[in-house]
Amino acid sequence: MPLRELKRLVAPGGTVVLVTGDGGHVLGPIPRMLRAVFLSIGSRSIRPLAATPRPEVLAKLLELVADGRVVPVVEQEYPFSEAATALSRIAAGHTVGKLVVTGS
């Protein structure tokens, strides 16, 4: 979704947080994140977020899921033979939650 459209959709006082972005083969999402910073001059409506994987955070998340305190939203499961269908659904932007591709 274009950044200007995201900015129009955010509620007053809200913030769009970009955790990834469309990007090229060389710079990846960096150009889109820089455009987001530029579009947000004078406001705080779009902010990039660079995540760093940390094993201790993943372990805590797994613990919360195991305890039932965090419940992931899984929209649908697909067998591996239908992985292309799952990817097409994600690319179309129609998912609500995660799609899971299983080995069977």
Side-chain angles (χ1 to χ4, degrees):
M1 180 175 286
L3 293 174
R4 290 187 189 278
E5 188 173 339
L6 285 172
K7 191 171 180 174
R8 283 192 301 271
L9 291 174
V10 70
T15 302
V16 174
V17 178
L18 298 175
V19 293
T20 187
D22 299 327
H25 296 292
V26 177
L27 297 177
I30 293 171
R32 186 169 194 238
M33 292 182 142
L34 290 174
R35 282 193 305 276
V37 170
F38 176 74
L39 283 173
S40 293
I41 292 175
S43 71
R44 295 193 170 271
S45 60
I46 303 177
R47 290 285 175 246
L49 172 69
T52 303
R54 295 179 29 209
E56 65 275 11
V57 173
L58 179 58
K60 181 63 178 178
L61 285 172
L62 291 172
E63 177 186 319
L64 293 171
V65 170
D67 291 346
R69 292 185 284 168
V70 171
V71 180
V73 176
V74 176
E75 179 181 300
Q76 189 170 351
E77 291 186 27
Y78 291 86
F80 186 75
S81 61
E82 295 179 30
T85 302
L87 289 172
S88 294
R89 182 156 175 81
I90 291 169
H94 298 297
T95 57
V96 178
K98 298 299 181 183
L99 302 183
V100 176
V101 176
T102 62
S104 55

